């Protein structure tokens, strides 16, 4: 039986940096927050299932949406319009200095609008893919539009004003969001206990991020692997494994016994650790708390069945490509004049290359974070930073690759390996997050 817990304060001087607790290290690190603060629900208030705000589109000049049923358009809880449905319609921000939003032919003098369907799953959003094709997803909950007025560039700039843009945020209940995340994150044939473990880790992660960023920004998580993959309800079937796992674990989170009491923590997870988990402090601006200290032995991710996540490589990349790629992202790289070789500058507490030293053709050197290096070259090409460097003249070979992702926290393939051996979700979570236990954050 799970103990009821009111999460009154889940912060522990958290400095979120790197990714916001990214599942497989698939994002570009951002600047760390510089302050620590207590975060959590107010005390003496019953905990309820929260809504989560997912950023679907950011700073786009326009977007398309459709509503397949009755809906309302609101601004600050005032209903501005009621409709029975909306065919595929263009939405854009006004070009005047005062922010406004245009939906079809109607212009609203507001910088923010909420579109609230009266029936679930009737909101459809259209996305243009990198190949120029269009696709769409259906979503539960509501959509919030944020307009950004055009910004005047500094005088002397040749390009005039930057255009007005729109952000689109989907607002849904957390449990529903989690079911969609599981659909996108896990393989359909994986064990229900893996689904349950992932549901608890994903829930804890979202609550941690929500309590860390709070109202300081207009969304909680990204819809991509920057946070957790989320593609609406398209692939969703009632009764699916993901829905069962979320229902079975409703409100349950991971906590650890901090000196200030039980707290949730940033439940990092990655696709495969490759043999041993990593310490969070080596990769992200977070303290090395016991559940994220790494060093957990795991060969359960060996079950990858040739998908090359437990072991991968060798991967050969020309020095010219490496140099050109890095130089386009970091002006300091140009000072090397070209790439002569790469050495491991330092390793993490658990032995994974952490800093790479680029040696230029002019003899100069530049240290880069291996995590950034990997993502610049492609997170699917170099599946982790756990590799051995071999210099082959014009190319570098990344050999003996281990694991997929940053390796901190839960190992997803390892969780599946343990589930197939009969381990329950609670056991899987306490294995990868040592010293942690499960609590119920809300009913
Ligand atoms: Zn593993």
């Amino acid at each position: 039986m799970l103990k009821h817990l009111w999460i009154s304060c889940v912060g522990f001087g958290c400095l979120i940096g790197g990714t916001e607790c990214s599942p497989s290290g698939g994002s570009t690190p951002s600047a760390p927050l510089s302050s620590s603060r207590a975060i959590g629900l107010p005390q003496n208030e019953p905990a309820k299932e929260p809504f989560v705000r997912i950023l679907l589109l950011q700073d786009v000049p326009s977007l398309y949406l459709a509503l397949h049923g009755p809906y309302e358009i609101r601004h600050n809880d005032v209903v501005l319009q009621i409709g029975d449905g909306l065919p595929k319609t263009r939405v854009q921000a006004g070009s005047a200095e005062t922010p406004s939003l245009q939906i079809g032919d109607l212009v609203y003098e507001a910088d923010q609008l909420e579109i609230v369907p009266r029936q679930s799953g009737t909101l459809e959003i259209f996305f243009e893919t990198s190949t120029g094709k269009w696709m769409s997803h259906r979503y539960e909950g509501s959509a919030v539009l944020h307009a950004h007025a055009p910004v005047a560039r500094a005088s002397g700039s040749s390009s005039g004003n930057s255009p007005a843009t729109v952000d689109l945020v989907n607002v849904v209940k957390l449990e529903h969001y989690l079911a969609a995340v599981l659909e996108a994150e896990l393989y359909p044939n994986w064990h229900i206990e893996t689904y349950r473990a992932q549901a608890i880790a994903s829930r804890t992660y979202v609550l941690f991020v929500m309590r860390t960023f709070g109202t300081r920004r207009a969304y909680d998580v990204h819809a991509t692997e920057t946070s957790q993959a989320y593609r609406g309800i398209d692939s969703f079937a009632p009764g699916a494994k993901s829905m069962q796992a979320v229902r079975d674990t409703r409100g349950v989170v991971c906590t650890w016994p901090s000196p200030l009491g039980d707290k949730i923590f940033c439940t990092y997870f990655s696709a495969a650790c490759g043999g041993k988990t990593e310490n969070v402090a080596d990769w992200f601006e977070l303290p090395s708390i016991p559940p994220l200290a790494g060093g957990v032995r795991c060969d359960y991710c060996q079950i990858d069945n040739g998908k090359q996540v437990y072991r991968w490589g060798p991967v050969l990349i020309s020095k010219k490509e490496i140099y050109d790629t890095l130089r386009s992202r970091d002006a300091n790289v140009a000072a090397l004049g070209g790439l002569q070789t790469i050495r491991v500058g330092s390793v993490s507490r658990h032995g994974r290359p952490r800093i790479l030293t680029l040696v230029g053709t002019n003899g100069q050197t530049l240290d880069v974070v291996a995590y950034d290096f990997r993502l610049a070259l492609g997170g699917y090409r170099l599946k982790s930073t756990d590799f051995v460097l071999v210099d082959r003249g014009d190319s570098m070979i990344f050999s003996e690759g281990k694991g997929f992702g940053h390796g901190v926290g839960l190992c997803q393939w390892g969780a599946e390996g343990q589930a197939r051996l009969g381990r329950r979700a609670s056991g899987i979570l306490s294995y990868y997050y040592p010293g942690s236990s499960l609590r119920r954050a809300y009913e």
Side-chain angles (χ1 to χ4, degrees), residues 335-373:
L336 301 174
L339 185 63
Q340 185 184 113
T341 194
I342 306 175
R343 296 194 296 256
V344 174
S346 69
V347 297
S348 68
R349 291 166 174 78
H350 300 300
R352 193 179 278 215
R354 198 175 84 81
I355 299 292
L356 299 177
T357 301
L358 309 177
V359 182
T361 50
N362 60 11
Q364 289 197 42
T365 61
L366 180 68
D367 285 349
V368 295
V369 178
Y371 184 90
D372 299 344
F373 177 91

Side-chain angles (χ1 to χ4, degrees), residues 189-198 300-301 303 410-429 432:
N189 66 340
W190 275 13
H191 200 283
I192 184 66
E193 292 298 331
T194 309
Y195 272 72
R196 289 179 179 132
Q198 183 69 56
Y300 300 101
C301 44
I303 60 152
L410 175 80
C411 168
Q412 290 175 313
W413 274 98
E416 172 63 11
Q418 295 201 38
R420 290 181 193 174
L421 294 174
R423 185 165 275 181
R424 305 285 296 272
S426 56
I428 293 169
L429 290 164
Y432 290 110

Side-chain angles (χ1 to χ4, degrees), residues 243-425:
M243 295 187 79
Q244 183 191 336
V246 169
R247 198 166 49 239
D248 292 346
T249 64
R250 180 179 170 81
V252 177
V253 294
C254 291
T255 64
W256 75 288
S258 85
L260 299 175
D262 282 351
K263 313 253 182 180
I264 63 171
F265 56 95
C266 200
T267 40
Y268 280 94
F269 50 91
S270 66
C273 72
K276 188 164 52 174
T277 64
E278 284 287 294
N279 187 307
V280 68
D282 278 323
W283 301 100
F284 306 103
E285 298 290 331
L286 282 172
S288 173
I289 60 172
L292 297 174
V296 174
R297 310 293 301 197
C298 165
D299 286 320
Y300 300 101
C301 44
Q302 282 188 61
I303 60 152
D304 70 0
N305 281 340
K307 291 193 188 302
Q308 292 232 334
V309 297
Y310 179 70
R311 294 287 181 265
W312 56 266
V315 173
L316 182 144
I317 308 178
S318 76
K319 291 176 181 174
K320 181 177 187 314
E321 182 187 344
I322 295 170
Y323 177 71
D324 290 344
T325 301
L326 299 180
R327 190 179 54 172
S328 69
R329 291 176 170 241
D330 183 349
N332 294 323
V333 175
L336 301 174
L339 185 63
Q340 185 184 113
T341 194
I342 306 175
R343 296 194 296 256
V344 174
S346 69
V347 297
S348 68
R349 291 166 174 78
H350 300 300
R352 193 179 278 215
R354 198 175 84 81
I355 299 292
L356 299 177
T357 301
L358 309 177
V359 182
T361 50
N362 60 11
Q364 289 197 42
T365 61
L366 180 68
D367 285 349
V368 295
V369 178
Y371 184 90
D372 299 344
F373 177 91
R374 172 193 161 227
L375 294 181
L377 271 302
Y380 283 85
R381 195 180 191 187
L382 299 178
K383 288 178 176 159
S384 73
T385 67
D386 200 348
F387 45 65
V388 172
L389 285 165
V390 180
D391 191 326
R392 276 288 165 83
D394 290 341
S395 301
M396 295 299 301
I397 297 178
F398 302 85
S399 66
E400 299 178 42
K402 296 175 186 167
F404 189 7
H406 49 60
V408 178
L410 175 80
C411 168
Q412 290 175 313
W413 274 98
E416 172 63 11
Q418 295 201 38
R420 290 181 193 174
L421 294 174
R423 185 165 275 181
R424 305 285 296 272

Side-chain angles (χ1 to χ4, degrees), residues 62 77 81 168-169 271:
S62 66
D77 290 332
Q81 190 190 337
L168 174 66
V169 175

